[in-house]
Amino acid sequence: MTRNYALGISFVETIFNGSNLSTTYVFSEVGDRYLIDPSESTLRSLLGKDGLSFHKTRKILLTSLDWKDIGGIFGIGLSFTSFPTNTQIYGPPGIKKLFKISRCFQYIKNLEIIEFSDSENYMIEDGVFKVIAIPFSTPEQKKKQQKLLQQQQQLQQQQQQQQQQQQQQQKSQKSQKSRQKQQTLTPQDPNLISEPTNEKICYIFHSRKMMGRFDSNKAKELKITKQSKIKQLVVFRKPVMNEDLENPRMVHPEELLTKPSPGTSFAYINCPSEEYFQDLFNNPAWDSIKDGTKPLTAIYHKSPPHIMENPKYLEFIESISHLSPKNNYPKIYGKIKEISEEEKSTPEEDGNIMYGSTKHILLHKDFTEIEDVLKLCDLFRSRLKILIPSLSIHKTNSPKWEPVSTNSLENLKKSTISNTLIPAKNSLRVIMTPTQFRGAPVLAQEVINRQDELQLQHDDYFLKGEGEKQAKTMLDLNRHLESLVKDKPASKYPKTLFLGTASSVPSEHRNVTGILISSSEDNHFILDCGESTLIQMERYFGRVDLQKVLIDTKMVWISHLHADHHLGLLSIIKAREEALSKLSKEERKKHSPILIVSHPSYLQWISQYRETFDPSLSFVTQGIGMGGGNMEHVCETLGISSFTNVPVIHSQNAYGCVIDFKDGFRLTFSGDTRPCPLLERAGADSDLLIHESTFANDEKEQALLKRHSTLDETLNVSYNMRARKTIITHFSQRYQNTIRCGFGKVPYGVAYDLIRFSPYQADLLYNVKDILDGYYQELNISRLKEREIIVNYLPKSKFKSPFTQDNIKSVIDEYKIAKAAFTRKDNENLALEGVPKMTTVFDETTKPLQTIKSSFTTTTSFNNILTKSKKLNFSSSKTAFLQNVTLKSILMLKK
C-alpha cells in the first residue's frame, strides 16, 4: 500500500557556484534524488551541504548540452572511482557522443545514458515522483529531425533486408552470423550514437498523492488505544487486531488516516529563445496543469530576462500558474519553525490540503546576486586579508555588479505572476512535502548566522593574545617589503595568482589546479585550467573587473590530459568571447583569439568538441612535444623571452615549463610530476619555482604509485635547481589543512587559493604558513559546530527511515576497518614510548559513537582526536583519517 503514496520529506534546493550559474537538487527522503543541470563547480558547491550528497543521487537531468548547463558532469563523475550504482543521465541527443569523444581523459562506470531523440514525451518514475521529460526544439530543427528519422528508418529497413538475405543464404554459417550480430549491437557502432542537436528538455515533476494524517478520533471509534498498536499501524503500516472484545477484527492503516491529499507538482523550464515557443507551449503535458487537475507549486525558470519579459512567454506561464488568496507563504523563512500556524496549509472540508499560488523561482544568473557560496573558504580568506592584505585583495573600490531587477521589466511587472517572483538564492529550499509546508521557501544557509557568530569567534582567535602578535609581525613585514620597491614599479611583475591549489578533486578550502600569471597590467596567461577556474577569477577580481582581465588573457597552457587540469578551459573561452562581444568592432580587431598550448592529444579533444558541439568557440592551438611546433609565436603573443616545455615524470605526455621574462626573471612550474632531473636542469637558477607537493613525507609509497612528489622531494628539487624562492602547491584532499611537515633543505612557502603576489612578496607566504596551520584547526571545529545545528533543521518525518539501521551498521563497520588500518608497528613504537596502544586510543575516542549515547557531541570527539593525535605524534594522514571517519559517522547517525 505505502508504495502508492509519497512518503517522507521532499524539497527542491537551488545551488549556486559562485558565478551565479545554478544547479537544482531534488531531495527525497525515500525516493530517488535528482540533480538538474550540473553546472561547473557543482561538486565543490555540494561540499558541506547537509542532506545533499551526490552519493545518493541516482538521476541527472539535463535541459541542454550547453557547457554552462553540463560543465560539472565530468568533475562529479571523476571524483569517484565510479558513479553510484545505477546512476542515469537523461537529456537531449549528443550525450553519448560527448562521453565517447571524452574517453581520452575519463571512463566512468555504472552510468546509463538515456537520450530523448524521438521528440516524444518520456516518463521517468521512482518511489515518489513521476517526471515527464518534454523535448522541444525550433521549427527548423523539427524538419531536420524528421528527415533524420526517415533516413534512420530507411537505414534500419535496409539492414533488416540485408540480414534476411544473409540468413537465407548462409544458414549453415552460424558462427559467422553470430559475429555479425554482435558487430551491429556494439556500443562503439556510430549508427547507435546520435549526433548532437539544438533540442532542449523541460521537466515536470508530479509526486504521488500524500498519505492522510493519523486521526485519533477514528482510532477511538475503532477501539485502538494502545500506543504499540498505533505504532504498528502508523509507523510500520501493518494491520492489527482491535481491542473490541465483542466485535474483534483486523484494522488496516488506511482506516485511521484522513483522506489522502493530492500530490505536489513543479516544473523546470530552460527556454533560450523565441524560436522554441511553439513546440514548448503546445505540448499536451501541460493540459492537466492548465485545467487545475495538477496545479504547480513552483516553476523554476532558467530562461534569460528577455524571454521572461516576452508577452507570449508570460501568457503561457500565466496559463499554467495557480493563483490562490490563501496559503502563499509571503516571505523566505530562515527556519521551518518560523512559519506560523496561520501561514501553514490548512485542510479543506474534504480533507485535501489547499494549494497556494504558484511560485516562480528565477534561476538565470542575470536575476541573482553574486553570493559567497563557500562560507568556510571565505572565512579563511577574511583571515588572510588581516594577515596579508596586499596579497588577498584585488581592489577596495572595484565596481559592484548589479542583477536585473524584476521591477525594471515592464511586461513582467504588469503580469499576474509579479507578486510570486523569487530571484533564487544559494541554498533556497522550496518544501514539496509534507503537505502542511508545501510551497514554503526556506533559506537553509541562514539557520544560524554564520557571518556574525563565527566571524566574531575567528576574529578573537587572530586579534587577541599570540594571534595579535603574529598578525602585527606579518603587517610589519609587508610594510617593509613594500618600502623596498616603492620606486621600482617594474619589480612588481610577473604577478602570480593561485586559482586552485588542490589535486584531483576540490575541497571547501581549495579548488583544483589553475594559476594566472600576469607579465604586465594588461597581459595575462593561465598555467593549467581546472574546473571552476573562471569562477575563482570572478571571486578575486569581481564580475566587472574580470571582463578586462579575460580580454587581456592571451594564452592557456595545459600540462597534461588529466581532467583536473583542463575542465575549466571551455568556460574561459566562452566568457572571453562574451567580454569581447561588448567591445566595438574596432576594439575587437585589436585582440586575437585565445591561444591554447598543449600536447596534440588534448588539442585533438578540444578541437573535436568545437566541431561537434559548439562551432562558435574561437581559439587557435599550438602543440608541444612530438608533432608540436616551436614556441616563437607563444613568446611573441605573451611578450616574453622564452617558453620551454619540459617532459616530466607523471602520465603520458605530461609537461612542466620554464618561462623567461624580458627583465631576466625566470619562473618554473612543475605541473604534476615525480622529482624530475630534466626539470631541475632546465629550470636552473629560477627566481621562482612553483612545484607540486601532493603528499606528506610519510606517504612516499602513494607518491611513487601515483607519480607525484612529497614535500622533501620537492625541496630537494629546489635545492638542486638553486631556486631563489619555492612555493608548493597541488595538495591531496586527505589533508584538511596545510601539510605540517616541518623544515627541509630550503625554506618554502605554501600556496593558498586566491592569493596574488609579486616576486618580492614571496617571503610573506614563507612566514604565514605556520600561523595559518592552527587557524585551519579552528575552522574545522567551528564548521562541525555549525553542522551539528543545521543537520536537523527540517522537521523530522513521521515515517520510519528505511536507512537508519544500515547507517548504524555502516558506522560500526567503518570503525572496524579503521582499527585494522593501523599497523602493529605503530603499536610497538607507542609502547616503547610508554603510551597506550593505537587501538586503545581509537576505542576511547570513538566509544561514544559506538554506544550512540545521546550526550555525545560532535566537537567533543573531534577535539579528543586532535588532542591525542598531537600528543602521540601521529602522522597527518592518520589524524585526518580519524577526523573524516568521525565526521561522516556523526552525520549519518544524526540523520
Side-chain angles (χ1 to χ4, degrees), residues 178-215:
S178 62
R179 286 196 300 271
Q180 289 173 349
K181 187 176 180 180
Q182 289 173 3
Q183 289 173 2
T184 61
L185 295 177
T186 178
Q188 284 74 26
D189 189 333
N191 293 329
L192 299 178
I193 297 179
S194 302
E195 292 298 320
T197 67
N198 291 325
E199 188 175 87
K200 310 298 179 185
I201 311 293
C202 166
Y203 296 96
I204 304 175
F205 285 71
H206 295 298
S207 77
R208 299 176 186 272
K209 59 185 178 181
M210 312 293 175
M211 186 177 289
R213 299 183 183 182
F214 170 69
D215 189 330

Side-chain angles (χ1 to χ4, degrees), residues 1 31 241 307 384 521 571 610 874:
M1 170 196 162
M241 184 66 70
I307 295 296
L384 287 176
E521 186 177 354
S571 294
R610 174 171 61 180
F874 291 161

